[in-house]
Amino acid sequence: MTSALPFDDFRNLLANLPAADTTAQARVRTLFAKADKPSNSLGRVEDIAAWLAAWSGRAPPAVTRPLMAVFAGNHGVIRHGISPRPVAATANAVELCAAGGAAINQICIANDLGLKVFDLALHIPTADITGDAALDERGCAATMAFGMEAIAGGTDLLCLGDLGVGNSTVAAALFAASFGGRGADWVGPGSGADAAMQARKAEVVDAALAFHGGHLGDPLEALRRVGGREFAAIAGAILAARMQKIPVLLDGLAATAAAAVLHAANPAALDHCLLASLSPEPAHVRATERLGLRPLLDLGISHGEGAGAALAAALVKAAALTSSGMAAAVRG
């Protein structure tokens, strides 16, 4: 990066986002309209195919190199007793993925998805957001840039997920910074917090909001101050996909919170994204409604790892094949 301040390049990208290919999108709509079937009878399958065309520029669209990218981070705020799981559980989950034994491994195999899992300095948790910024600007920008590299090597559908003990609390802080409200409006059980722990989570979010105060009006400042490495990397990956015209499937609370940061910076920043799955966390429903995202699946998945995105990828692949197969029949 060559600008004076680390965030400047990201601000420039957010101000100059590529638009959808409306010609490709209209072509897919026309193909479905010409097919020998009742109008709009395939419902959201038609919408998904048109969305793929709009953001890939291919009509009919195709998904041949889908990628599941999972970003893992640890958080200093965990010291406040906001999770029933120890901080070591994040690294253990990454190791399980590396060994092929995690749920996400099996779903990726079933749906023929590539899988990348990124360990974001798990041995160095971010600073405690109740009394310090999680990251400095240079570190946050560097992590965003690292997340952008997720698409290196090529992909035509990017699925995003996360791992991180305590990151539901961090997500709540980002939602509060993006949408307003207090900790109690955005915290939930996460990985199994009881009522007392949820109250602590709310207190932690309120303390972070009070400490960082007026700085949170700037979305990228909010990301570095009350976010974390997996949030920054996911934001970078979403932005890189937009610049390269790659459709994105979002999954989970953390990915949605990272997306909310970009949406706050530019409301058009998520137009190339679909929400894969709805988490049982009450905050996820409220946040996705604010962002105008409607889930493809609602299976009650709170497991993390991007499991919902990997499952939804099968639906997106099917929509692409439906479009291309019916287009061939129409041409025939």
Side-chain angles (χ1 to χ4, degrees):
M1 295 198 175
T2 58
S3 62
L5 295 173
F7 280 151
D8 284 354
D9 291 293
F10 295 105
R11 298 189 198 282
N12 289 336
L13 290 177
L14 283 162
N16 297 281
L17 297 172
D21 186 333
T22 55
T23 301
Q25 184 178 36
R27 191 176 301 134
V28 168
R29 293 287 190 191
T30 300
L31 286 170
F32 277 120
K34 290 180 177 178
D36 185 13
K37 67 174 186 61
S39 178
N40 300 315
S41 60
L42 288 172
R44 290 192 73 185
V45 172
E46 299 183 29
D47 296 336
I48 294 167
W51 166 80
L52 275 173
W55 292 108
S56 67
R58 301 170 67 181
V63 177
T64 60
R65 299 187 66 188
L67 174 66
M68 181 74 238
V70 181
F71 296 95
N74 276 327
H75 304 271
V77 75
I78 193 72
R79 73 182 186 86
H80 294 285
I82 56 169
S83 174
R85 305 173 71 217
V87 69
T90 307
N92 293 341
V94 170
E95 291 171 7
L96 186 61
C97 289
I104 191 62
N105 297 97
Q106 321 319 319
I107 300 170
C108 285
I109 291 169
N111 294 323
D112 196 20
L113 309 179
L115 174 62
K116 295 181 181 178
V117 181
F118 299 91
D119 173 338
L120 301 172
L122 294 181
H123 60 294
I124 309 174
T126 55
D128 178 359
I129 61 174
T130 64
D132 200 353
L135 298 162
D136 61 24
E137 183 171 340
R138 186 175 301 278
C140 186
T143 307
M144 291 178 72
F146 181 79
M148 296 181 86
E149 293 299 313
I151 61 173
T155 179
D156 49 20
L157 177 67
L158 180 63
C159 308
L160 295 171
D162 69 275
L163 287 167
V165 172
N167 71 10
S168 66
T169 300
V170 175
L174 279 174
F175 286 140
S178 298
F179 303 127
R182 298 176 54 80
D185 299 318
W186 295 105
V187 299
S191 57
D194 59 17
M197 186 172 284
Q198 288 185 58
R200 283 199 300 276
K201 292 172 70 170
E203 291 170 359
V204 162
V205 172
D206 288 341
L209 296 174
F211 179 81
H212 296 284
H215 297 288
L216 301 180
D218 180 325
L220 294 182
E221 275 292 298
L223 178 64
R224 82 167 185 88
R225 287 174 176 272
V226 300
R229 291 191 185 94
E230 70 268 46
F231 296 86
I234 289 170
I238 294 170
L239 191 53
R242 177 59 167 267
M243 304 313 294
Q244 296 297 318
K245 302 295 288 289
I246 299 167
V248 171
L249 287 179
L250 302 171
D251 186 50
L253 205 66
T256 304
V261 170
L262 299 180
H263 184 270
N266 184 339
L270 305 182
D271 289 354
H272 65 305
C273 302
L274 290 183
L275 178 64
S277 178
L278 195 63
S279 146
E281 286 280 299
H284 201 207
V285 176
R286 291 195 294 275
T288 55
E289 288 174 349
R290 297 286 192 96
L291 295 171
L293 297 172
R294 187 158 61 107
L296 297 177
L297 304 174
D298 187 0
L299 302 176
I301 295 174
S302 60
H303 184 59
E305 302 177 356
L311 287 166
L315 175 56
V316 174
K317 291 171 69 177
L321 283 170
T322 301
S323 174
S324 58
M326 297 185 79
V330 167
R331 286 195 296 268

